[in-house]
Amino acid sequence: MTVSGSRGRLLTTRREMLGLAGGAGSSLLLPRHARAQAQPAWRRPLAESDAIVAFGHTGPITDGGWSMVHDRGVQAVRRAFPKLRTIYVESVPYSADATRLFRQFVAEGAQMVMATSEYGDFIKDVSDRAPDVAFMECDGTNMTGNLGWYYVAHWYASYVIGIAAALMTKTNKIGFLGAFPIPSVYASANATLLGAQSVNPAITLQSITINAWFDPQAATQAATALADNGCDFLCGIMDEPAYLRVAVQRGLKAAMWNTGMLDYGPQAYVSSVCLDFNEYYISQVRNLLAGTWQPEGHFLTLGHGVDRDAWGPTVPPEAVARADDMRTRMLAGHNPFVGPIYDNHGRLRVPAGTALSDLEIYHSDWAVAGVSGLE
């Protein structure tokens, strides 16, 4: 665990932290019978110098992707509120260890805990027993009296990139790398292919999931397999640039995720779905300090926390113009996810004239027609 701020810097190993949390158990948290006896602390103003905000990251903050982008948000909070303290732990496991880590955040005195990935019941169990602490979960679904969720509506940027892919592929085959068959991966793959099919309905998308967000070796192997199968445009949701390197080696094109990655392969690089949590994190901490924080479900939208990166130097002007025309329409409120939309088993999922809402896309558990390898 790392603590930083005006009161200095403390380093504790994760093993030590887990030991503390496991040994203290539920005694670290507010007893259930005391919940109704006082107004939650997050409803009262808090001095910046007394504030502690904790962040639990799913990967290393040097991953070049997801956790690095969230760490930028942590750094933005430190700049905006130099007197408060921040705590963070990298590579929080998806296991009971996560529960113990979140408990330890509470034991350390954190008034706000931000889980920068989905931890489900691991964080909910802790938040239920710590009603005085504000909790937020990225890519979560739980909503309680002191636990909310936030996420990025990345499907719009993916749709825009899909249009560019359609105007660049020569084989009509897009290769997609995902970690797991979960809603965020379905949403990204579906949006990319729907954007491409709005230009050329013959385009298909082959997906491979590698059961990890950060596994450069597995991502390299999957990208190589997709290239061997004729995919000449690679995209996906990975926390590092391994498949961009494959694209460079094989003379393919690639679109990335999390942050701009032009430097890893300018000739192959098309764009990236870029994320920016800075302003959102600052706003949550500001509300905590003011005593106005409330649990919410919140999407960071196109142009406000998520967007496409600048186009790579080899993207044709026609592709730039057509893709950016759609982006401009989206910024004005256009929703391209309108039926009829069929799934990859031929079933009508979205009737003609019906538009999918962000919440419906967020909970996607099916692949659109033309997607293979994602079930």
Side-chain angles (χ1 to χ4, degrees):
M1 179 178 65
T2 303
V3 182
S4 67
S6 61
R7 301 184 185 179
R9 183 174 179 88
L10 168 67
L11 296 177
T12 304
T13 67
R14 193 169 77 185
R15 179 175 296 177
E16 290 169 340
M17 183 175 179
L18 290 172
L20 286 169
S26 60
S27 64
L28 298 174
L29 309 178
L30 187 67
R32 294 178 183 273
H33 66 76
R35 292 182 183 181
Q37 296 180 4
Q39 188 181 52
W42 45 265
R43 289 187 177 175
R44 301 189 295 271
L46 176 67
E48 181 180 327
S49 58
D50 294 331
I52 303 175
V53 180
F55 295 83
H57 300 304
T58 187
I61 60 174
T62 56
D63 64 4
W66 180 263
S67 293
M68 183 187 75
V69 171
H70 284 280
D71 183 60
R72 289 175 179 172
V74 177
Q75 295 175 38
V77 167
R78 293 173 185 159
R79 290 191 297 269
F81 307 102
K83 295 180 181 179
L84 66 70
R85 291 185 289 171
T86 60
I87 305 170
Y88 72 88
V89 172
E90 304 172 74
S91 302
V92 176
Y94 294 94
S95 69
D97 284 346
T99 299
R100 289 191 284 272
L101 287 165
F102 293 133
R103 284 177 176 173
Q104 184 61 19
F105 285 154
V106 176
E108 290 288 334
Q111 296 94 353
M112 173 174 279
V113 174
M114 310 287 286
T116 63
S117 189
E118 180 184 5
Y119 283 92
D121 288 342
F122 296 128
I123 189 169
K124 184 177 181 298
D125 289 347
V126 177
S127 67
D128 284 347
R129 302 187 65 171
D132 254 2
V133 178
F135 290 81
M136 289 295 290
E137 178 185 17
C138 190
D139 198 13
T141 56
N142 291 313
M143 177 79 76
T144 70
N146 65 320
L147 169 65
W149 59 263
Y150 61 105
Y151 196 51
V152 286
H154 55 80
W155 32 92
Y156 296 102
S158 295
Y159 191 100
V160 168
I161 290 172
I163 292 174
L167 294 166
M168 299 182 73
T169 177
K170 295 180 174 62
T171 64
N172 288 344
K173 292 182 178 181
I174 296 173
F176 184 93
L177 283 81
F180 308 96
I182 59 176
S184 59
V185 173
Y186 278 108
S188 180
N190 288 346
T192 302
L193 183 58
L194 289 172
Q197 289 181 339
S198 73
V199 176
N200 181 355
I203 293 176
T204 59
L205 182 148
Q206 181 182 351
S207 174
I208 296 178
T209 54
I210 65 171
N211 296 315
W213 294 110
F214 185 82
D215 189 336
Q217 182 177 357
T220 298
Q221 293 172 347
T224 299
L226 291 169
D228 289 345
N229 201 39
C231 298
D232 63 351
F233 191 104
L234 303 180
C235 57
I237 301 183
M238 289 287 106
D239 288 355
E240 39 72 32
Y243 71 82
L244 176 57
R245 294 190 176 101
V246 173
V248 171
Q249 295 166 2
R250 299 291 292 268
L252 312 178
K253 299 299 180 183
M256 309 306 292
W257 226 80
N258 292 302
T259 188
M261 296 187 179
L262 175 68
D263 292 344
Y264 291 97
Q267 295 307 304
Y269 185 77
V270 173
S271 187
S272 180
V273 177
C274 285
L275 315 180
D276 185 343
F277 294 95
N278 295 16
E279 290 304 316
Y280 182 71
Y281 284 162
I282 289 171
S283 71
Q284 293 299 290
V285 174
R286 182 181 296 116
N287 291 342
L288 176 73
L289 298 178
T292 59
W293 182 87
Q294 292 289 337
E296 64 175 0
H298 180 81
F299 287 117
L300 281 69
T301 57
L302 188 69
H304 302 280
V306 58
D307 212 331
R308 61 143 181 82
D309 190 21
W311 296 107
T314 63
V315 181
E318 177 191 2
V320 170
R322 188 147 179 187
D324 278 353
D325 176 68
M326 175 54 71
R327 176 178 176 273
T328 299
R329 293 172 61 193
M330 289 175 173
L331 289 171
H334 175 66
N335 182 349
F337 301 104
V338 178
I341 300 176
Y342 291 83
D343 68 19
N344 58 354
H345 296 287
R347 294 172 293 193
L348 179 65
R349 291 285 190 156
V350 185
T354 300
L356 285 171
S357 69
D358 287 339
L359 200 59
E360 289 171 323
I361 297 172
Y362 181 50
H363 293 296
S364 298
D365 61 356
W366 53 275
V368 302
V371 172
S372 61
L374 190 59
E375 298 290 347

